Each structure stands twice: as C-alpha cells, then as structure tokens.
C-alpha cells in the first residue's frame, strides 16, 4: 500500500486516484460553499473510516481512507462520494457514501455506525449513473429486514417480497440491510436466503448481496475451480474492468482464497491466452486520454506486420498494444489499421487466431469500442438458440444493473431490433424471470 495525502481544490478533476495524489496541503483561507477535501490514508488494517468536520473557517470534511483502492469523487453542491474498500472484512464495505459537507457532521466511527447516522447526511447512491437500479428513496434497512424475515417465515418462501426488496436497492443499501439483519437476527442474511432458495433464482439473489469486487472474485473463483475452466468468465471480467476494479478484485480474491488470482489463472490456463490474462491482471493499462498519432500509425503497422503481413502470427505484438494503450489511442490505432490492412482489426483477429486467444483479443477490442455493446452481444448469445447460458446471463445482469444497464438495453435494441426485456421474458421463467426483469427495467 502506498500512503498518500492530498488537498483537493474546488477546481480539481471529478475523480481522484492514488496515482494522481500529491503531497501539497494548500488550505483555502476564505469560507466557500464548495470546499476542498483533505484526504489521507491511515489505519489500513483497522476496518474503520473516519469522517469529521474541522473548524478552519471552511466547511469541509476529513476522510481517512483505508487503502489505495479507495477513492473520493466530488459531486458538486458541497457533496462528495467516498468509496471505501475494506479488505479485512469483505462483507462490510461502504460504497459511494454521499456526505453533504454542509451538514453538521461529527463522526469518528466504524462503517456500520456510519451507515446508521441518518439519511439527512448520508445517502446510499448507486455505483454508476446509467443503471436501472438506483438509490431507493426513503430507505429504511430495519423495515427491509422485517420484510425479508416475514418472507422466510413459516412454510414456503414469499419470493416476490425478496425480489421487491433486493432488486430495488443499490449495492450499498443491501450492505446496510445485511448488517441490520445480522444485528437483529444474529445470522447472515446470505446464509438464510441460500437455505430458503434454489437454482438460478438463488444465484441471482446471492450475487446481489455481494459487493461488486467480491462478486467478481467469487465468479472468477468458480470459473477456475474444479474440472475445466470457464474461460468466458475470465475473459468477460478481465477485459471489461478498470485498473482500479481489477486491483480491488485481486485483493479480495487473495483475502478469500489464500492465494493470488494470478497464481490460480496460471495454474489453470496456458500459452499466449495465459499471458494475455496475466497482462490484464497487472492492471497496468494507460488510462489517460492522450493520443500519439505517430505512435498510433506505428502500432497499426506493427500489428499488421505481426499478423496479416507474415506467415504465422506474432501474438505478443497484439498483446503489447491491446493490453497497454489507452482507449482513445487504441481507437486511433483501429482507424489506422483499417487504412493499412483494408479491414477491421476484429476481422484480422478472427483470421489469425482461434479459441480462447481469439475470444480474449476480440473482447478487449469490443470493450475498447463500447462496453455496453459488448455486454449486449454477450447477453444475446447467452439466450439465442436452444437453451440459455445462465451463468453469463446472471453475471451480466447482476454486475451491470446499477452501472450501465440502460446503455446495454439501448445497444441491444439497436443491434438486434428486439428489446432485452422481451428476450429475457421469452427465455426464462418463474421467479428467476421476475428478478431478471426487475434488474432489466421496463421495455
């Protein structure tokens, strides 16, 4: 872990990462309704988050973050979203707690207490802004716990009540429900639901109860363990997550499984496919926005000469460019590649490669072009024809519901001329269908 400390000015960028951190501490001297934010890492093993008001003539908040993966985002209007990742307790993490800086805050407390501070100061926002699942208004964890207890009481289970609560709450709100359930019942909500439910419906419900990085780590572990490997899961997750997301998944995976995700991937894959996955796991992609036109032309030529222009294929050239360059630069590379080769890069990948290596390079290119379009295609292929690949369908619906499901739905309709809602409705049944349609939203 790399401790860092910054003082954020009102004109600072909308997001802050450790890489962007500096060691300056310029405090504003005049009161302002849009204060800066002083951030410092501390107590990495304590599992505690401190938010308190400091009296310096400036309304503000001091947030002691736990890890380099934690982040703070300025929301404007005196609000800041704090994303806290606790590796010590995978089930207790505050995601995007929105703190109104002008509120009267005086907190020095652990995360569960922080959640119960009150809705006037803290809200449980979604982790994205293009999801179908949004923050439930008038949220009351204790009332939700009571509904869930009644749904599981006596003979039979009232699945509709479970769907109504869990499919209409954000990930952060569900964490508060889990904590409130344990406080009032003395048992884990996930354990009780697991014993009451079954099949694909249970898989969706249990997935919803997990934090995003925990769910990714869980899915990756299931894809690797046992006989055979579900390469599609490794590809879907590692090709589409940001550096920060991959680092957090790596940390949770090691905490839960006692070994690194890279070790398990290397033990279950081989060849160039393994090398591409390891490269993605390093979370080293340039996430800037600059484009070097001359380098883009050279990258396009290198890829062309490594594939179409020679006998055999030098896959390392593809890896070096596709797994390292930033999105804007790669879009320019794809444009230049079309000029030099006369075809799209996807076509060349299909011509030059096969199997899982072809799949992972295609996934990287498609995610660079449009993640919503990539997931729309994955959803379509999971349901078209005879049978349904439920693991893919569940993973995408659960993981993208509060991030970009609105965009995925739009891409699905644009590409396939049918709604995602109609596809799910025609391909699933029962409570499983009902909860997926709830996550999907309307037509």
């Amino acid at each position: 872990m790399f401790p860092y400390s910054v003082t954020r000015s009102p004109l600072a960028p909308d997001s802050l990462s450790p890489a962007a951190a500096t060691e300056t501490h310029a405090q504003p001297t005049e009161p302002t309704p849009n204060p800066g934010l002083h951030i410092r890492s501390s107590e990495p093993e304590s599992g505690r988050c401190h938010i308190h008001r400091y009296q310096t003539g400036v309304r503000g908040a001091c947030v002691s973050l736990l890890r380099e993966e934690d982040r703070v985002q300025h929301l404007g209007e005196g609000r800041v979203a704090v994303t806290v990742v606790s590796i010590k307790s995978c089930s207790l993490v505050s995601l995007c707690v929105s703190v109104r800086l002008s509120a009267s805050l005086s907190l020095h407390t652990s995360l569960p207490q922080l959640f119960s501070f009150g809705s006037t100061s803290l809200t449980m926002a979604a982790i994205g802004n293009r999801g179908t699942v949004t923050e439930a208004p008038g949220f009351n964890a204790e009332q939700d716990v009571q509904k869930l207890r009644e749904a599981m009481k006596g003979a039979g289970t009232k699945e509709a009540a479970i769907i109504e609560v869990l499919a209409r709450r954000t990930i952060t709100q569900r964490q508060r429900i889990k904590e409130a359930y344990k406080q009032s019942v003395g048992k884990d909500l996930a354990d009780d639901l697991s014993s009451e439910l079954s099949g694909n419906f249970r898989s969706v419900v249990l997935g919803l109860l997990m934090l995003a990085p925990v769910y990714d780590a869980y899915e990756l572990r299931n894809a690797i363990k046992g006989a055979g490997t579900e390469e599609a899961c490794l590809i879907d997750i590692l090709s589409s997550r940001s550096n920060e997301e991959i680092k957090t998944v790596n940390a949770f995976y090691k905490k839960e499984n006692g070994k690194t995700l890279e070790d398990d991937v290397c033990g279950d894959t081989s060849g160039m496919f393994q090398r591409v996955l390891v490269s993605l796991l390093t979370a080293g992609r340039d996430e800037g926005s600059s484009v070097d036109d001359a380098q883009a032309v050279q990258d396009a030529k290198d890829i062309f000469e490594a594939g179409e222009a020679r006998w055999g294929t030098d896959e390392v050239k593809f890896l070096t460019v596709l797994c390292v360059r930033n999105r804007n630069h790669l879009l320019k590379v794809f444009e230049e590649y079309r000029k030099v080769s006369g075809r799209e890069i996807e076509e060349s990948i299909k011509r030059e490669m096969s199997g899982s290596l072809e799949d992972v390079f295609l996934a990287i290119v498609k995610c660079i072009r449009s993640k919503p379009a990539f997931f729309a295609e994955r959803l379509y292929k999971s349901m078209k024809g005879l049978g349904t690949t439920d693991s893919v369908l569940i993973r995408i619906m659960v993981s993208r519901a509060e991030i970009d499901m609105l965009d995925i739905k739009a891409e699905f309709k644009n590409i396939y001329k049918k709604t995602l809602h109609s596809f799910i409705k025609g391909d699933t049944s029962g409570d499983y269908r009902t909860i997926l349609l709830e996550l999907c939203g309307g037509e």
Side-chain angles (χ1 to χ4, degrees):
M1 183 167 70
F2 304 95
Y4 59 92
S5 181
V6 308
T7 297
R8 186 185 182 85
S9 73
L11 299 179
D14 283 339
S15 63
L16 181 67
S17 66
T22 64
E23 294 298 328
T24 60
H25 300 276
Q27 295 288 345
T29 57
E30 296 297 325
T32 170
N34 191 19
L37 183 69
H38 177 77
I39 306 165
R40 69 178 186 275
S41 66
S42 68
E43 299 187 315
E45 300 302 326
S46 71
R48 296 176 67 85
C49 172
H50 312 300
I51 299 181
H52 61 84
R53 187 174 181 182
Y54 57 89
Q55 305 293 333
T56 60
V58 179
R59 288 182 298 182
C62 178
V63 183
S64 299
L65 301 180
L66 303 177
R67 293 179 54 82
E68 61 178 293
E69 287 85 357
D70 301 340
R71 65 179 183 270
V72 172
Q73 182 179 12
H74 197 316
L75 303 179
E77 298 181 358
R79 295 171 70 85
V80 60
V82 184
T83 302
V84 178
V85 178
S86 173
I87 302 302
K88 186 173 183 180
S89 174
C90 295
S91 63
L92 180 58
V93 179
S94 161
L95 286 179
C96 295
V97 177
S98 180
V99 181
R100 187 174 294 280
L101 299 183
S102 59
S104 177
L105 293 179
S106 180
L107 300 176
H108 188 278
T109 182
S110 61
L111 292 176
Q113 294 169 317
L114 174 63
F115 277 133
S116 61
F117 181 73
S119 59
T120 57
S121 298
L122 302 177
T123 59
M124 312 266 173
I127 59 176
N129 57 13
R130 295 293 299 161
T132 49
V133 175
T134 57
E135 182 182 352
F139 172 66
N140 186 305
E142 287 69 28
Q143 289 181 6
D144 284 345
V145 167
Q146 188 59 37
K147 291 177 184 177
L148 291 172
R149 292 184 66 182
E150 290 174 0
M152 291 183 279
K153 188 184 300 181
T157 303
K158 301 178 183 65
E159 286 83 358
I162 294 172
I163 295 170
E164 180 185 354
V165 172
L166 297 182
R168 297 179 182 177
R169 305 291 185 271
T170 62
I171 292 174
T172 311
Q173 289 175 326
R174 295 185 205 119
Q175 303 316 299
R176 182 65 190 97
I177 292 170
K178 285 167 60 178
E179 290 302 315
Y181 189 91
K182 182 178 287 187
Q183 289 168 3
S184 63
V185 180
K187 298 173 66 178
D188 285 332
L189 176 58
D191 291 343
D192 281 356
L193 287 171
S194 182
S195 65
E196 293 283 337
L197 310 176
S198 62
N200 291 323
F201 179 63
R202 176 172 63 184
S203 297
V204 175
V205 169
L206 295 182
L208 290 174
L209 289 176
M210 298 180 198
L211 295 145
V214 176
Y215 184 60
D216 280 349
Y218 171 80
E219 287 288 291
L220 290 166
R221 179 57 183 159
N222 285 342
I224 293 171
K225 72 179 183 180
T229 303
E230 189 194 345
E231 288 84 357
C233 176
L234 303 179
I235 293 169
D236 285 356
I237 292 176
L238 298 182
S239 298
S240 62
R241 302 312 193 247
S242 68
N243 289 345
E244 180 183 333
E245 288 168 336
I246 290 175
K247 287 177 181 177
T248 308
V249 170
N250 279 332
F252 274 119
Y253 191 96
K254 185 174 182 180
K255 173 67 172 66
E256 286 295 282
N257 301 294
K259 56 195 303 190
T260 67
L261 178 52
E262 181 180 331
D263 285 342
D264 278 352
V265 165
C266 288
D268 231 52
T269 60
S270 60
M272 185 54 64
F273 176 56
Q274 177 192 99
R275 292 172 66 177
V276 173
L277 295 180
V278 169
S279 177
L280 295 173
L281 281 170
T282 64
R285 181 184 297 283
D286 172 18
E287 292 188 331
S289 58
S290 62
V291 178
D292 184 330
D293 290 338
Q295 185 61 55
V297 171
Q298 186 60 52
D299 286 343
K301 289 180 179 178
D302 287 346
I303 293 176
F304 178 68
E305 291 171 0
E308 297 278 5
R310 58 173 284 171
W311 180 260
T313 306
D314 182 359
E315 295 96 346
V316 176
K317 292 288 186 183
F318 284 79
L319 184 158
T320 301
V321 175
L322 296 180
C323 295
V324 176
R325 306 287 192 257
N326 72 56
R327 180 175 184 269
N328 288 349
H329 183 89
L330 283 175
L331 292 175
K332 182 65 174 177
V333 171
F334 300 161
E335 180 185 322
E336 295 298 330
Y337 186 86
R338 191 186 315 116
K339 295 176 184 177
V340 85
S341 69
R343 56 173 56 96
E344 298 291 349
I345 191 169
E346 291 95 328
E347 296 177 56
S348 292
I349 290 172
K350 291 176 184 177
R351 286 162 57 93
E352 295 295 317
M353 301 171 197
S354 61
S356 296
L357 183 60
E358 174 188 342
D359 293 339
V360 71
F361 276 134
L362 284 176
I364 292 169
V365 170
K366 290 173 181 178
C367 285
I368 289 295
R369 291 195 190 275
S370 169
K371 287 182 185 179
F374 169 73
F375 286 119
E377 180 184 2
R378 295 293 291 134
L379 286 168
Y380 175 76
K381 289 183 175 179
S382 75
M383 292 182 281
K384 76 169 186 177
L386 295 175
T388 304
T389 309
D390 293 295
S391 60
V392 175
L393 176 58
I394 293 169
R395 182 167 60 247
I396 296 174
M397 295 304 296
V398 169
S399 65
R400 310 308 293 188
E402 69 180 71
I403 298 175
D404 56 1
M405 187 57 68
L406 292 174
D407 297 325
I408 293 171
K409 289 169 62 177
E411 289 288 352
F412 193 98
K413 187 172 184 179
N414 180 55
I415 298 169
Y416 304 110
K417 311 307 177 188
K418 293 184 179 180
T419 65
L420 176 58
H421 189 281
S422 68
F423 250 68
I424 293 172
K425 188 174 182 179
D427 223 58
T428 58
S429 61
D431 297 314
Y432 176 46
R433 171 202 282 166
T434 304
I435 197 168
L436 289 181
L437 291 178
E438 191 69 42
L439 296 175
C440 177
E443 289 277 4

